[in-house]
Amino acid sequence: MSKIAVIGSNMVDLITYIDRMPGQGETLEAPGFALGCGGKGANQAVAAAKLGADVLMLSKIGDDMFADNTLANFQRFGIDTRYVQRVPGVSSGVAPIFVRADSHNSILIVKGANAHLSPVDIDAAAADLRECTLIVLQLEINLETVYHAIEFAHRHGIAVLLNPAPALAGLSAEHLAKLDFLIPNESELALITGLTVDSPDSARSAARTLAVSGIRHVIVTLGEHGALYVGEEGEFQVPGQRVDARDTTGAGDAFIGCFIQHWNRDGSIRQAMEQAVAYSACSVTARGTQTSYPDSEAFARFQQRH
Ligand code: RIB
């Protein structure tokens, strides 16, 4: 089976379910709390692994009570953790998350150990990375590491995908042009292109500017409106699925995890997008990040019902 490498973050999600955010100086009771494994890189790796992908993870964990649990969590899903390494004297990455009753969220991240994943770590894993058919990246690690990974993939003819989250302005056009896949949401697309993105039409126009600049496949996630493709295969939109949303945290990562598993296995972008839209819709019907990602059987049951 062809292997996927995820080079990225892991975080400890501290999820508080709130009625509203407290004002300055105010103490407010919140209805619920959950501690979970998260981080965009880890979420994408776990979603893909739950669906049967063979995943190699490059990530850094801290020197604290969270680290063993993060490592055990990767291993529980059969993820190759030879390059998930502890950083002495540094905290694990943590993400305080606030989820409102309408299912939407606000997230703070503290990178912690994730900031220590460096180009040297990519070079140290080079032999194993060369065995992979896809390298998947996000922006919760240092940008120089992301750029180094893009260069590495490009040099070795390995497909490379960037999910530019959290949103960051000023990404290098030279590196973006070397991507096979860029998968932003609407606000990330707006920040990358400097264009207004507030509808599927404006997303299409902005995505075209990136496709013209050299990225082979641009896929814009549109939340409940599905996802949009612009690139070598033309332009098309996969419609969204209506579900009763409880918690949208990590829905974008669910999309990527499912997309990479299907594309890497079958090679069809449109089919992988259709599966990914359904998978991310399924994920918002349950609480939490990784805890809301179904395995293949549970996903098949969801698809029968919808
Ligand atoms: O995309 C959701 C993720 O963003 C959470 O799991 C949190 O850890 C932050 O990285």
Side-chain angles (χ1 to χ4, degrees):
M1 184 170 38
S2 50
K3 203 161 184 161
I4 299 169
V6 178
I7 302 178
S9 62
N10 67 86
M11 302 269 170
V12 178
D13 285 352
L14 310 160
I15 311 174
T16 307
Y17 295 93
I18 60 170
D19 295 323
R20 67 171 173 86
M21 286 295 263
Q24 186 172 325
E26 183 184 19
T27 300
L28 196 62
E29 186 177 338
F33 175 80
L35 185 70
C37 290
K40 295 181 196 302
N43 292 348
Q44 294 170 16
V46 165
K50 280 191 176 186
L51 292 171
D54 190 3
V55 181
L56 172 71
M57 186 81 202
L58 266 68
S59 200
K60 294 279 182 182
I61 50 178
D63 185 8
D64 52 25
M65 61 191 279
F66 296 130
D68 285 345
N69 188 52
T70 298
L71 194 60
N73 184 63
F74 282 132
Q75 289 165 350
R76 188 174 312 134
F77 298 111
I79 293 170
D80 183 339
T81 56
R82 282 174 296 147
Y83 300 100
V84 177
Q85 289 152 349
R86 209 174 291 265
V87 186
V90 172
S91 82
S92 289
V94 294
I97 300 176
F98 304 93
V99 182
R100 294 184 297 275
D102 67 1
S103 82
H104 292 291
N105 61 70
S106 307
I107 304 179
L108 279 168
I109 60 161
V110 180
K111 274 188 186 162
N114 293 296
H116 293 254
L117 189 66
S118 74
V120 171
D121 297 305
I122 293 173
D123 296 342
D128 287 294
L129 287 172
R130 279 200 298 271
E131 301 292 309
C132 296
T133 42
L134 174 64
I135 290 180
V136 178
L137 302 156
Q138 316 74 29
L139 297 178
E140 285 182 333
I141 56 172
N142 292 341
L143 211 44
E144 64 158 344
T145 310
V146 171
Y147 290 160
H148 193 77
I150 293 172
E151 293 289 354
F152 179 91
H154 194 66
R155 199 165 54 247
H156 294 286
I158 304 165
V160 57
L161 180 157
L162 174 65
N163 168 225
L168 196 64
L171 293 175
S172 130
E174 184 200 334
H175 287 96
L176 291 181
K178 291 181 175 153
L179 293 171
D180 295 277
F181 293 96
L182 180 75
I183 309 190
N185 65 18
E186 290 162 278
S187 53
E188 290 149 7
L189 178 63
L191 209 60
I192 291 170
T193 59
L195 299 169
T196 302
V197 178
D198 54 10
S199 65
D201 278 346
S202 54
R204 191 173 298 110
S205 306
R208 278 182 194 143
T209 66
L210 295 172
V212 164
S213 74
I215 303 172
R216 296 182 62 204
H217 312 287
V218 181
I219 297 171
V220 188
T221 55
L222 303 169
E224 62 190 32
H225 300 295
L228 180 73
Y229 173 88
V230 176
E232 284 179 2
E233 301 195 0
E235 296 185 5
F236 56 86
Q237 187 171 344
V238 173
Q241 270 193 11
R242 285 217 160 274
V243 288
D244 239 339
R246 294 181 71 201
D247 183 349
T248 58
T249 318
D253 300 329
F255 181 97
I256 306 273
C258 182
F259 178 84
I260 59 179
Q261 148 66 357
H262 282 88
W263 179 79
N264 197 54
R265 191 188 61 192
D266 303 328
S268 162
I269 293 178
R270 189 190 282 261
Q271 279 168 22
M273 283 174 64
E274 285 165 357
Q275 293 295 313
V277 165
Y279 192 78
S280 106
C282 178
S283 80
V284 307
T285 63
R287 280 185 159 186
T289 45
Q290 294 177 21
T291 49
S292 72
Y293 301 163
D295 61 16
S296 302
E297 288 73 35
F299 184 39
R301 287 196 295 278
F302 171 84
Q303 287 183 299
Q304 272 162 14
R305 289 198 305 273
H306 290 80

